[in-house]
Amino acid sequence: MSLPIRRTLLLVAGLALALTACTSRETQQSAPSGAGPAASAAPSQAAGPGCAREKTGYPQVDVKNAVIGFSQSEKEANPFRIAETQSIKDEAAKLGVPSDKLLVTNAQSDLNKQVSDIKSLLDRGAQLLIVAPLNSDGLQPALDAAKAKKVPVITIDRKVTSQPCSDYLTFIGSNFVEQGKRAAQEMVKATGGSGKVAILLGASGNNVTTDRTKGFKDEIAATMGISIVAEQTGEFDRSKGQTVMEQLIQSNPEITAVYAENDEMGIGAVTALKAAGKTPGKDVKVVSIDGTRNAVQLIADGSYNAVIESNPRFGPLAFSTLADFAAGKEIPPTVVISDDQYDSANAAQKLPNAY
């Protein structure tokens, strides 16, 4: 091979390598970070007496120097759980909490494991606890163990049926009934007030499913042209949502709209609808709750109609609440957060806020 040819080949190879590296960097830089706005307290809080440290007799604990336990309930295959855990870790790091003082467990959707996880965190010296409950019921043994050691517990995302200020400090999360109402309002807009709706219910045994269902049904009942023709649980899971939607299409071919109680089930429904030869977003309207990047992108692409946000970035609010409690301030039994929403008019613009 002559020298000029060899040089030419080397130059081409070099350019190809540089182009590949550039493409790789662009892909990494454009990968979604999900670093949207943190959950913030809504202007109006739930009524109820506040809980102060002097009332509980709990010791004063410096959040920045404390051993903090975080109990995650579900495997982090769901974007909501990924963003939620990352938010806790990010805020701890921002406050300067040493990495070995933030103890994180994951119950993998097993209630008994979550109880043992929380007890384990206490045994490992946790002085403050942030818990994302799997279910509204069943955590009392763990809460009792924390109370016995005078360790304050903040619950996030899902409420427990225990007593605030006694069994746990406070709940930080969304107004799930309101989320359901807002989803119904978007469904009325999307359908023009006429349609046959299938509901993909969340997992049973927690207030999120119960409240999102109630809010939606109560609001949709005011629109005479819309009827609910089917409802079945997809357990907040994408693959189960797809399977359930496939079954509902067969048994109820007249379905013209789907309300999914989280984005993962809604995305599964989109896949099922496309496989059945339907055009989601047009033939069948789709509205869900969460605010994941994949669902918001589907709105921008025209295959989805609306998403009511359920913000998972609890870190700043959870840590500030613990700090307020340590400082002697009264903490309300429920801290309601503000949630945004996405539709065809704003999805492309707000996509960076999704997770």
Side-chain angles (χ1 to χ4, degrees):
M1 183 182 296
S2 67
L3 185 58
I5 294 175
R6 184 181 293 111
R7 285 176 175 169
T8 300
L9 290 174
L10 287 172
L11 178 61
V12 171
L15 286 171
L17 181 60
L19 191 59
T20 301
C22 180
T23 303
S24 177
R25 284 194 297 271
E26 288 175 351
T27 301
Q28 291 171 0
Q29 290 170 355
S30 63
S33 65
S40 58
S44 59
Q45 301 294 329
C51 183
R53 191 167 52 80
E54 62 180 18
K55 184 186 297 186
T56 64
Y58 282 17
Q60 185 174 17
V61 178
D62 180 4
V63 176
K64 294 182 181 180
N65 295 304
V67 178
I68 302 165
F70 173 54
S71 170
Q72 178 58 275
S73 58
E74 298 176 359
K75 61 184 178 180
E76 287 163 9
N78 184 323
F80 184 96
R81 296 300 170 190
I82 294 171
E84 184 177 62
T85 298
Q86 193 60 49
S87 177
I88 299 296
K89 291 180 177 179
D90 287 349
E91 186 63 17
K94 181 180 177 181
L95 293 173
V97 176
S99 58
D100 62 343
K101 287 193 173 184
L102 178 65
L103 312 178
V104 180
T105 61
N106 192 306
Q108 302 292 324
S109 300
D110 183 329
L111 182 61
N112 291 329
K113 185 177 186 309
Q114 186 162 40
V115 171
S116 64
D117 280 350
I118 294 170
K119 290 181 177 180
S120 172
L121 290 170
L122 293 167
D123 290 341
R124 292 164 63 189
Q127 298 165 281
L128 303 167
L129 284 174
I130 301 170
V131 176
L134 178 63
N135 292 334
S136 296
D137 297 312
L139 286 182
Q140 194 62 47
L143 298 177
D144 288 342
K147 185 176 181 179
K149 292 193 174 185
K150 294 192 178 299
V151 173
V153 178
I154 283 180
T155 64
I156 59 175
D157 175 41
R158 292 178 183 173
K159 277 189 174 182
V160 292
T161 52
S162 305
Q163 291 299 312
C165 196
S166 174
D167 300 317
Y168 66 100
L169 174 58
T170 186
F171 162 73
I172 302 175
S174 300
N175 183 328
F176 303 116
V177 173
E178 186 64 21
Q179 287 179 342
K181 288 182 178 180
R182 292 168 65 193
Q185 291 164 1
E186 290 303 308
M187 183 64 78
V188 172
K189 290 179 186 177
T191 60
S194 177
K196 297 183 182 298
V197 182
I199 300 178
L200 297 183
L201 302 166
S204 59
N206 68 77
N207 73 304
V208 178
T209 297
T210 303
D211 290 355
R212 286 178 180 172
T213 303
K214 174 178 171 51
F216 184 85
K217 286 185 173 181
D218 287 352
E219 186 71 15
I220 215 73
T223 304
M224 298 301 294
I226 295 180
S227 60
I228 297 169
V229 297
E231 54 185 287
Q232 190 171 330
T233 181
E235 298 184 13
F236 290 132
D237 181 80
R238 185 184 299 194
S239 62
K240 290 180 182 177
Q242 179 179 341
T243 299
V244 169
M245 193 70 241
E246 289 169 348
Q247 296 168 352
L248 293 179
I249 292 169
Q250 292 295 321
S251 59
N252 300 272
E254 75 277 17
I255 290 171
T256 59
V258 176
Y259 164 49
E261 292 185 341
N262 83 335
D263 288 356
E264 286 294 281
M265 293 189 297
I267 294 168
V270 166
T271 301
L273 289 165
K274 287 181 176 179
K278 298 180 182 293
T279 306
K282 294 181 176 62
D283 296 343
V284 180
K285 310 300 183 182
V286 183
V287 175
S288 65
I289 299 173
D290 261 351
T292 64
R293 188 170 292 258
N294 288 335
V296 177
Q297 183 64 62
L298 285 174
I299 298 175
D301 294 343
S303 296
Y304 224 83
N305 300 92
V307 170
I308 306 302
E309 182 189 54
S310 193
N311 197 333
R313 303 180 183 96
F314 294 103
L317 202 51
F319 279 94
S320 65
T321 301
L322 287 171
D324 286 346
F325 181 68
K329 296 180 182 179
E330 284 200 356
I331 306 302
T334 298
V335 179
V336 179
I337 65 172
S338 298
D339 291 317
D340 202 352
Q341 68 185 63
Y342 303 88
D343 55 31
S344 59
N346 65 26
Q349 177 188 358
K350 289 187 175 182
L351 185 60
N353 293 346
Y355 53 88

